[in-house]
Amino acid sequence: MKLVFATHNKNKLKEVKALLPHHFEILSLTDIGCNEEIPETADTIEGNAILKANYVRDNYDLSCFADDTGLEVASLDGEPGVYSARYAGEDKSSKANIEKLLKNLDGKKDRSARFKTAIALTLNNSEVLFLGICEGEITAEKRGEGGFGYDPIFKPNGFDETFAEMKLTQKSEIGHRGKAMRQLIEYLRE
């Protein structure tokens, strides 16, 4: 089965391909020649995932799944949330995003946070949404070399390591994207 995963992010693509059974052929936006920036204008993570999946369906006539992920920090009223990728500006710098988040958390005792991934699937004229959430906390400084985005400062509940210190298999097992992907896989198997 061929499915488009609406991303140009090679790290996300690698994570997702590792989770899916081999009989799924996953194509990226680059693979289908979609080089334009798909507008993410919704005010929710779920809404942005739906926008991206519908964009591919409507413009390329292909079955697609799209994700949007956000980090929600309790003491910052859910920031950065839907703006996670561009929290420090439109250049989408992970380093700048982390620095801004740590600065905004300076002096705050509550460092609880959660990662949320929404995956929208458009398949055979139907649309389905899957959600994965991983609760945790923000560390005081960056730790680890793996992962991407906010992974070096996010420590999931019940673990001593940040996502950036974990192996990809462990992160996928407990993480937000892995949880949403397993729901998608179960749905596709049915």
Side-chain angles (χ1 to χ4, degrees):
M1 172 184 268
K2 274 188 191 180
L3 272 177
V4 175
F5 178 27
T7 190
H8 289 291
N9 185 319
K10 291 177 182 163
N11 291 309
K12 277 188 185 181
L13 194 61
K14 181 180 174 185
E15 242 181 60
V16 165
K17 282 185 174 182
L19 291 169
L20 283 169
H22 295 296
H23 64 274
F24 288 100
E25 184 183 350
I26 304 302
L27 304 171
S28 70
L29 291 174
T30 306
D31 294 332
I32 64 167
C34 177
N35 297 311
E36 62 268 25
E37 189 78 24
I38 299 175
E40 294 182 43
T41 54
D43 57 2
T44 64
I45 290 164
E46 295 87 344
N48 279 336
I50 291 166
L51 282 174
K52 290 189 278 188
N54 287 343
Y55 185 92
V56 172
R57 180 197 60 208
D58 296 345
N59 291 283
Y60 293 87
D61 197 30
L62 293 167
S63 294
C64 175
F65 66 96
D67 81 324
D68 197 36
T69 296
L71 177 66
E72 301 172 338
V73 180
S75 65
L76 299 178
D77 297 323
E79 281 186 12
V82 73
Y83 302 105
S84 292
R86 54 194 181 281
Y87 191 47
E90 284 301 318
D91 65 342
K92 299 182 180 180
S93 162
S94 292
K95 183 178 187 271
N97 289 338
I98 287 172
E99 287 171 3
K100 179 177 180 178
L101 183 66
L102 291 176
K103 184 175 185 253
N104 289 348
L105 276 174
D106 196 33
K108 298 202 185 287
K109 289 182 181 166
D110 181 6
R111 298 181 76 86
S112 63
R114 70 181 193 164
F115 263 123
K116 178 163 97 173
T117 291
I119 296 177
L121 170 69
T122 58
L123 181 68
N124 304 327
N125 297 319
S126 67
E127 189 178 281
V128 188
L129 192 67
F130 309 95
L131 283 180
I133 293 174
C134 183
E135 302 283 347
E137 65 182 46
I138 303 300
T139 57
E141 72 259 339
K142 290 167 63 170
R143 296 185 352 218
E145 298 300 318
F148 59 97
Y150 295 94
D151 287 355
I153 59 168
F154 183 81
K155 185 172 73 74
N157 288 345
F159 293 86
D160 293 325
E161 303 90 12
T162 65
F163 273 165
E165 294 173 300
M166 293 181 175
K167 290 184 173 158
L168 179 59
T169 52
Q170 184 180 24
K171 178 187 170 190
S172 294
E173 179 74 26
I174 63 166
H176 47 291
R177 187 168 295 106
K179 289 176 181 179
M181 280 301 301
R182 282 189 289 283
Q183 293 171 40
L184 169 68
I185 292 165
E186 276 306 306
Y187 180 85
L188 290 173
R189 284 186 175 142
E190 293 171 5

